[in-house]
Amino acid sequence: MQLRYSFRLYPTAGQRAALARAFGCARVVFNDALRVREEARAAGLGFVTSAELSKNLTASKKTPERAWLGEVSAVILQQSLRDLDTAYRNFFDGLKGKRPKTGAPRFKSKRDNRQSVRFTANASWRITPGGKLRLPKVGDVPVRWSRTLPSTPSTVTVVKDAAGRYFASFVVETDASEVLPQTTSEIGIDLGLGHFAVLSDGTKVDSPRFLRRAERRLKKAQRELSRKEKGSENRDKARIRVARAHARVADARREFHHQLSTRLIRENQAIAVEDLAVKGLARTRLAKSVHDAGWSAFVTMLEYKAARYGRTFHRIGRFEPTSQVCSHCGVKDGPKPLNVRMWTCGACGAVLDRDINAAVNVAKAAGLAVSACGARGRRASVPAQRSETGTHQELPTASPRWEQIGIPDL
């Protein structure tokens, strides 16, 4: 499988200028090609092929208006055309139902939050013996290596985010050598807001609420930005401060997702989760908390890590009544409001923890062998035997009538 590794770059002032020039050239080539195809569509002409766009690019580099395109590597310009083809392919596949629907390709702006260029093997980029990243017409860029790459990367994408940080993103191929030893543990996971994750074995993982904890600092930075004059340098500095504050929240959330997903994959052979309707929940009054939890990113990490380390991953349907079915007897007890965290099964009398019971039902729906003992919150109350309550007259032990009093199998 293919994996992507990202590392922080620290370019010099001259290298930042060269990268800005590369970002701008790639953006102009993308917009020019998109404009050619849109004009052809408006005129009723056929779809302009990639070969024709490549010829137009070569010709435009020889004109005085686009001569500055030759100041950057030609590979990133061709890759910009490939990105446009990918955007059109995804759009058409969405219309055909082959993938989720996406919008039509749009023009890029220099004010976009993310700027990127991609270098393939044809660009002759490489990692120097000193550990720097050598990029054509940019130079040797210092890299903060946090880990070693499992294999030789095929491409590298240089990304600049809204906070002004630079990253090198490598695509590498991995084999089955990283498969973990098998274990017998299997769990179901119920994702929520009160607790980020509740496991079928009774473990509850608290929700860090990174965005909620940083709201005061974010509000202050946003308030300072709103007071700056538009177009001024101070406004640009304030905008970067806001972007960096949001980046710290996103980084902390991503790190939490990685640590939890890796631990669950290492400790369990099979994992089952529920397919949540995140888009629908994001339109409710819980929208901020739903986005702060980041369920989709966490489930995606579980899925690809399970495939990488030889684990089994199950995703059950979102319409499975996990919170309505008793995990002990299997009787459906009906829907319950969110404020009901403990409920008693009307059939077997078991008092169940709502979240643990749902996690057990998620595992059972996926066909995993889990025990329902963790779902029980406390023992259900039962009437005491008459011989154990109050004061009473002693009765003959031989009486068959009193031998049958009581509730068996408590």
Side-chain angles (χ1 to χ4, degrees):
M1 62 182 301
Q2 286 187 338
L3 294 177
R4 185 175 294 275
Y5 288 78
S6 294
F7 302 92
R8 183 78 179 270
L9 297 179
Y10 294 90
T12 62
Q15 292 170 348
R16 287 197 297 269
L19 288 174
R21 188 162 49 248
F23 295 145
C25 291
R27 182 176 61 250
V28 168
V29 170
F30 183 93
N31 291 342
D32 287 347
L34 178 57
R35 186 177 297 106
V36 169
R37 285 183 172 174
E38 288 298 311
E39 291 176 352
R41 183 185 63 84
L45 302 177
F47 186 78
V48 182
T49 63
S50 301
E52 295 177 0
L53 293 177
S54 182
K55 291 180 181 179
N56 293 341
L57 172 60
T58 303
S60 63
K61 293 169 66 175
K62 299 179 181 179
T63 62
E65 295 80 7
R66 291 287 189 265
W68 40 266
L69 291 177
E71 299 177 2
V72 301
S73 173
V75 173
I76 64 175
L77 305 182
Q78 293 295 330
Q79 291 302 310
S80 186
L81 296 180
R82 303 290 85 76
D83 292 340
L84 179 62
D85 290 338
T86 302
Y88 269 104
R89 189 181 307 110
N90 294 339
F91 172 64
F92 292 137
D93 289 345
L95 296 179
K96 297 175 183 178
K98 296 181 180 180
R99 54 165 292 143
K101 287 187 177 181
T102 58
R106 297 181 298 178
F107 292 100
K108 294 184 177 182
S109 171
K110 65 179 181 180
R111 295 180 178 85
D112 290 341
N113 291 335
R114 185 179 184 274
Q115 304 284 343
S116 65
V117 290
R118 185 167 63 255
F119 297 87
T120 61
N122 296 334
S124 299
W125 67 271
R126 66 187 184 90
I127 300 174
T128 65
K132 294 185 178 182
L133 180 62
R134 179 166 296 174
L135 301 174
K137 297 188 178 182
V138 175
D140 295 348
V141 184
V143 185
R144 178 70 61 84
W145 299 102
S146 57
R147 51 187 170 175
T148 58
L149 295 172
S151 61
T152 303
S154 57
T155 63
V156 59
T157 303
V158 180
V159 181
K160 180 185 178 184
D161 64 2
R165 302 178 301 178
Y166 293 85
F167 296 91
S169 181
F170 299 92
V171 176
V172 298
E173 292 280 351
T174 60
D175 51 16
S177 60
E178 296 180 318
V179 174
L180 296 174
Q182 290 194 1
T183 179
T184 58
S185 178
E186 298 179 344
I187 60 167
I189 304 176
D190 178 64
L191 300 175
L193 297 178
H195 292 88
F196 177 78
V198 179
L199 311 184
S200 56
D201 60 1
T203 304
K204 294 186 177 182
V205 181
D206 291 333
S207 180
R209 295 187 174 92
F210 295 106
L211 180 61
R212 296 287 186 180
R213 287 158 48 186
E215 271 187 324
R216 187 173 181 179
R217 183 172 63 253
L218 291 172
K219 287 181 180 179
K220 180 180 179 181
Q222 188 66 48
R223 188 165 54 246
E224 293 176 354
L225 172 62
S226 64
R227 293 171 178 170
K228 306 301 180 183
E229 183 180 355
K230 292 186 177 180
S232 64
E233 293 186 2
N234 286 335
R235 184 177 179 86
D236 290 339
K237 295 177 183 178
R239 182 195 60 79
I240 293 178
R241 283 194 292 268
V242 172
R244 287 178 177 174
H246 280 284
R248 282 193 291 268
V249 174
D251 291 344
R253 183 187 299 113
R254 188 182 306 109
E255 181 67 16
F256 167 74
H257 288 165
H258 272 297
Q259 291 182 358
L260 180 58
S261 59
T262 300
R263 179 169 64 86
L264 294 177
I265 289 296
R266 291 185 180 277
E267 296 176 355
N268 301 277
Q269 184 64 33
I271 294 178
V273 297
E274 186 177 7
D275 184 19
L276 298 174
V278 178
K279 289 185 178 180
L281 293 172
R283 290 193 292 266
T284 65
R285 60 185 179 87
L286 302 174
K288 183 179 290 187
S289 298
V290 170
H291 288 303
D292 191 13
W295 294 326
S296 297
F298 175 71
V299 173
T300 301
M301 290 181 185
L302 282 177
E303 189 171 8
Y304 87 78
K305 289 181 182 180
R308 178 183 180 185
Y309 295 110
R311 302 306 197 199
T312 304
F313 177 82
H314 300 277
R315 192 196 299 262
I316 69 170
R318 64 183 60 175
F319 299 107
E320 200 69 35
T322 56
S323 298
Q324 305 178 22
V325 176
C326 175
S327 57
H328 287 261
C329 62
V331 174
K332 186 176 180 180
D333 209 10
K336 303 162 188 66
L338 290 177
N339 61 343
V340 177
R341 310 315 303 173
M342 303 284 294
W343 58 283
T344 304
C345 177
C348 65
V351 179
L352 305 168
D353 182 287
R354 179 192 183 110
D355 297 328
I356 301 179
N357 179 75
V360 173
N361 287 330
V362 168
K364 289 185 175 181
L368 304 184
V370 296
S371 173
C373 61
R376 186 184 292 268
R378 56 181 173 84
R379 193 178 183 86
S381 59
V382 295
Q385 299 185 20
R386 179 170 178 175
S387 60
E388 298 175 357
T389 59
T391 59
H392 51 81
Q393 181 182 1
E394 292 186 2
L395 298 174
T397 57
S399 173
R401 175 172 175 260
W402 295 103
E403 289 178 355
Q404 301 300 324
I405 292 179
I407 302 177
D409 301 328
L410 289 180

